[in-house]
Structure formats: structure tokens, C-alpha cells
Amino acid sequence: MTHHEPPTVTKSFVRFEQQHILPIPESERTGTSRSVFSIWMSLNMMPLAVVTGAIASGAYGLPVIWSIVAIVTGNVIGAFGAALHASQGPHLGIPQMLQARAQFGYLGASIFALIAFIMFMGFFAGILIVAKDAVIAVFPEFNGTVAILVFAAIGIVLCVFGYDLLRKTMAWLSVIIGVAVALSMILFAGVPEVAVASAEASFNAEGFFSMLAIGVVWQLAYAPYVSDYTRYLPKKTGPKTAFWSTYLGLVISSVFVMSLGVLLGAVNPDNPLAALGEFLGPIGLVVLIIFAVSSALINGVELYSAVMNALTVMQSNFKVVISSRVRVVTTIVSGGVATLIALLGQGDFMAMFDQFLTLLLYVLIPWSAINLVDYFIIRKGEYKVGDLFDETGGSYGRWNAVGLWSYGLGLLAQVPFMITPLYTGPMAGPLQGIDIAWMVGFIATGAIFLILHRTMAKNKVLEPIV
């Protein structure tokens, strides 16, 4: 880069992504607490969040008030963990999952970057399907495949430009979609059918705690990429600002939109989005169109983080030099594959997505516990960032046995409590179908990681590296 380039980039309306997975230099840290808040505020305001909220009243048959209590509780708990991950961004300046190299080793972290990549691809595909459903609810004659392809193209283009365009898009989108959701909530709360459906429903513990767990996983699903955006905050911004701008954006928006989903699911559990048009007429149809368009824009954020993880895996395992060309090609290929998944998965989406969220929770929880214990208790934020990009692993090694063993044992700790369509643990019965595997997994993994690390330190083997 020559000394003539920075002024040219600065004058451009949109900065083309240049840093990719590299640490963000202070001169390029253009983020603000407002931009971070806008990103997370707008990211949750999509039809996928509506559909997720509708699971409470639709699939589990909970009354409206208990559905909202479960959603609020779950999101408040889950967002706390996600925001703690976000607070690491201004200090380290690197993508979230790349930092996993400090806990699992240069190559070991690739396992978790790959898991996160699959997760983001799943969300990209899921958002496309729900956005298509929103369009079909307004224009039944419209071709669903064409809708998916158009929305996918918009998300891919945004992702190709990178962080700066995504940040600016989310800023104004959060205002537009926020007004649409608020208006829908006010109008739909007065629909008589909602009160009737809620009165006929009854509280059940399984449904309540299942929705609470869904709220937790909804927020923790953001944990693997919250630092992808807070890394653009100036270092002097500090962890508190990164934490609260992320936390408030995540909680306010998710509770807001999922609660709308509860109301819609109460009157139309099979197709909650269609209820907007059925009960709110032209206003509901306009909101559906806004939802559909916003989803296409929001999806750029999901794909961006998928690409960050793909680049991390490629650099770690295949020694690929990460350039703008590599990032753009990876973006197009990843977006294309996720679009194909969406085209093939348009059937029974609600059931598949519910299962996806459950499995996601089980695999994310141990990683989250290890990262937070390592960052806040063991290292207290002190990392050798240069070593994270050293293909020998530097001081962190290529495979870190403590992190990997802790993760494996944390997964095993959840098994007796798991509740999935394929497997139900022996503790599910005594607990009356209440899924607490995520709680057990978090506590057990964090404790195991801390004990193993301190044991090795006591024996003067600070990093058991393979």
C-alpha cells in the first residue's frame, strides 16, 4: 500500500474490505458504539426471529405471557455470554473464532471455525427461506426459487464489499425495520383472536424451558462473530462500551421481534408470517415486504462471518495467503452453496430449524465456556496476537490438548441431559423433558478447563501442546 492510497480510501463512500482476518490497525478502526448497536439491533429484526418466537405459542402451546417471559429470560441470559465475547474485540482487533487458536492451537481452532462456518451457512440458508415465505405471503403467485436467488445475490454483493458497507446498511435498516415491527406489535396486540388463543393455552414446563433454551442459543449463536464487528472499535473504546452496545442491541431487538412472533403464532401456528397479512391487511403486507428486503440485507452479515471462518480454516490448514481476491471468491462460493441448501430445504423448515438450534446449542456451549474462562480468568486479556498467525502455533502450539480435552469432556457432560429427535438422555425423564444440557455443559466445561490449566501450570507445563 503506498502513501497515496489512504486519502483515496477515506474519501470513498464505502471502504472495500482490506484486512480480512488480519488484526485491524488503529487507523482503520472506524466503528462506534452506535454502529455496533445498530448492527445487532437490525440483525435480529428479521422474519427468522418472528418464526422462532412463534414456536412458543404455536409448537409448544404456551400462553402469550408465559411465552414472552421465557423469551425474555433466555435472551437476557444468552446475550450476556455473547456480549462478553464482544468485549474482546477492541482489545485484540481480530475475528472471534481466529482467537480460538489461543485456546485450541493453530490447527485445533480450525475445528471450531469449521463448526461456526457451518452454523452461519445454515443461518444464511434459513433466512433466505423465511424471506421467501414473506414474499409469497404477499404475492402468492411469485416464484419462490427466484425470490431466494434474488435475496441471495443481494447478501453476497454486500458481503463482497465487506464491513464498511454492512455497517452503514445496518445503521439505516435498524430504523426502518424497527418502526415496522413496533407498528405491527401495537396493532396486533389488539387483535381479539390473540387473546382467545392465549386463554385456551396452558402453561407447560417443557415448553417454557425449551423456549428459554432457544432464547439462550439464539444469542449464543452470535458469540462466534460478535468480535468480527467490535474489532473495528478503537482500542480506547474499551470493553464496557463494546459489551453494552452489543448486549442492548441483541436483547432489545430479539425480545421485540420474537414477541411479535408469539402473537402471530398464537393465531396461525402453521404460517405465522401469513398472519400479518390476514389480520393487519395492507399494513401487514407492507411489513412483510420490509421483512423480506431487510432479510436480504441482513444476510450479508451472516455470510461475512461465514467467510471469516472459512478464511481461518483455509489459512490454518492449506497455507492459503488471504488476499482480497481469495476473500471475494470464497464469498461467492460460500454464498452459492448456502443458496443451494436453501433451494433444497424449502419443505418442513420449522421442524428442521428447531432441531438445528438444539444441536447448535450443544456444540457452541463448551467452546463459549472455554473462551470466556481463558480470556477473563486465566489470561485476563493478555494474548500474543502475532503468535495467533504463526503457522507453527508460536506459544499456543498447533494443537492444545487442554482446550481440546476440555471441549470433549464438556460435550460428554451434556449427553445424559440431551433432548433431540435422534437421542434423549437418561436424565430427560426425571427432569420431565426440561433441557438443561446447555447449563451443565457450560459449567462443567469451564470448570474442567480451569482445573486442567492450573494443574498443568502447577506442574510447570503451562501449555500442554501437541
Side-chain angles (χ1 to χ4, degrees):
M1 182 179 289
T2 67
H3 66 284
H4 297 293
E5 291 179 3
T8 302
V9 174
T10 303
K11 291 178 182 178
S12 301
F13 174 71
V14 175
R15 298 187 181 189
F16 186 80
E17 180 80 51
Q18 298 289 340
Q19 300 303 323
H20 318 309
I21 61 174
L22 296 174
I24 306 300
E26 195 66 29
S27 60
E28 296 292 323
R29 296 195 179 195
T30 56
T32 63
S33 58
R34 182 179 178 182
S35 67
V36 171
F37 176 81
S38 296
I39 286 173
W40 301 116
M41 187 72 178
S42 58
L43 194 59
N44 276 315
M45 290 191 176
M46 55 182 171
L48 187 60
V50 175
V51 170
T52 303
I55 293 173
S57 54
Y60 292 122
L62 285 172
V64 168
I65 185 63
W66 282 112
S67 298
I68 294 176
V69 170
I71 285 170
V72 171
T73 306
N75 280 280
V76 165
I77 294 171
F80 187 81
L84 284 176
H85 289 288
S87 70
Q88 303 168 17
H91 180 61
L92 297 176
I94 57 176
Q96 188 73 65
M97 294 309 292
L98 190 141
Q99 188 210 330
R101 290 173 176 174
Q103 292 100 45
F104 303 100
Y106 187 82
L107 293 177
S110 297
I111 299 171
F112 304 94
L114 182 60
I115 290 172
F117 171 75
I118 294 171
M119 178 188 80
F120 294 127
M121 294 284 278
F123 273 114
F124 185 88
I127 290 171
L128 287 178
I129 292 172
V130 179
K132 177 265 299 182
D133 289 342
V135 171
I136 299 300
V138 181
F139 306 107
E141 70 283 357
F142 199 86
N143 188 290
T145 297
V146 172
I148 287 177
L149 292 174
V150 171
F151 291 147
I154 294 172
I156 291 170
V157 169
L158 284 173
C159 186
V160 164
F161 278 92
Y163 165 79
D164 197 50
L165 182 56
L166 290 169
R167 172 178 64 88
K168 290 174 179 176
T169 301
M170 293 301 106
W172 63 260
L173 182 62
S174 63
V175 176
I176 296 175
I177 192 66
V179 171
V181 172
L183 181 61
S184 300
M185 283 283 291
I186 293 171
L187 294 176
F188 216 86
V191 172
E193 286 83 352
V194 173
V196 173
S198 183
E200 293 175 349
S202 59
F203 175 83
N204 63 89
E206 180 181 353
F208 179 85
F209 285 100
S210 293
M211 276 311 299
L212 188 152
I214 286 176
V216 171
V217 71
W218 181 270
Q219 297 296 351
L220 282 182
Y222 291 123
Y225 67 134
V226 281
S227 280
D228 293 2
Y229 301 96
T230 56
R231 65 182 174 139
Y232 279 92
L233 292 173
K235 194 168 186 177
K236 65 180 181 181
T237 301
K240 288 184 179 179
T241 298
F243 176 92
W244 285 112
S245 56
T246 301
Y247 185 83
L248 292 175
L250 287 174
V251 172
I252 293 172
S253 58
S254 57
V255 168
F256 201 33
V257 183
M258 286 185 188
S259 294
L260 173 60
V262 169
L263 301 179
L264 298 176
V267 295
N268 191 340
D270 296 325
N271 192 349
L273 289 174
L276 277 170
E278 292 171 5
F279 291 90
L280 299 187
I283 294 177
L285 296 180
V286 170
V287 172
L288 281 170
I289 294 172
I290 293 174
F291 265 140
V293 175
S294 66
S295 293
L297 301 174
I298 288 168
N299 236 358
V301 176
E302 302 290 352
L303 186 58
Y304 178 78
S305 291
V307 171
M308 291 297 104
N309 284 284
L311 295 177
T312 299
V313 173
M314 291 162 62
Q315 185 192 59
S316 300
N317 295 274
F318 306 107
K319 299 182 180 179
V320 175
V321 177
I322 307 302
S323 62
S324 294
R325 182 174 180 274
V326 170
R327 183 181 68 81
V328 171
V329 172
T330 303
T331 298
I332 295 172
V333 172
S334 299
V337 172
T339 303
L340 180 60
I341 293 172
L343 292 172
L344 296 174
Q346 298 180 57
D348 191 8
F349 172 73
M350 286 288 287
M352 291 189 299
F353 185 67
D354 191 15
Q355 295 172 25
F356 176 70
L357 285 175
T358 301
L359 294 174
L360 192 60
L361 181 60
Y362 296 145
V363 298
L364 277 180
I365 281 290
W367 162 79
S368 178
I370 289 170
N371 175 270
L372 295 178
V373 169
D374 187 60
Y375 188 92
F376 290 102
I377 298 177
I378 294 174
R379 302 184 194 273
K380 295 179 172 60
E382 296 302 318
Y383 291 84
K384 298 176 182 178
V385 175
D387 285 10
L388 298 176
F389 293 88
D390 184 345
E391 63 181 43
T392 68
S395 59
Y396 304 113
R398 292 165 70 81
W399 298 93
N400 189 308
V402 164
L404 294 168
W405 272 107
S406 298
Y407 181 84
L409 293 172
L411 278 181
L412 287 176
Q414 297 181 85
V415 170
F417 303 90
M418 287 182 176
I419 301 174
T420 73
L422 298 177
Y423 170 80
T424 299
M427 293 304 296
L431 291 170
Q432 297 181 334
I434 298 173
D435 190 350
I436 65 166
W438 59 274
M439 191 184 306
V440 173
F442 187 88
I443 296 172
T445 307
I448 291 168
F449 182 72
L450 186 60
I451 292 170
L452 285 179
H453 187 278
R454 288 183 172 174
T455 300
M456 294 299 175
K458 185 177 180 180
N459 292 329
K460 298 183 180 181
V461 184
L462 293 177
E463 294 294 344
I465 296 167
V466 177

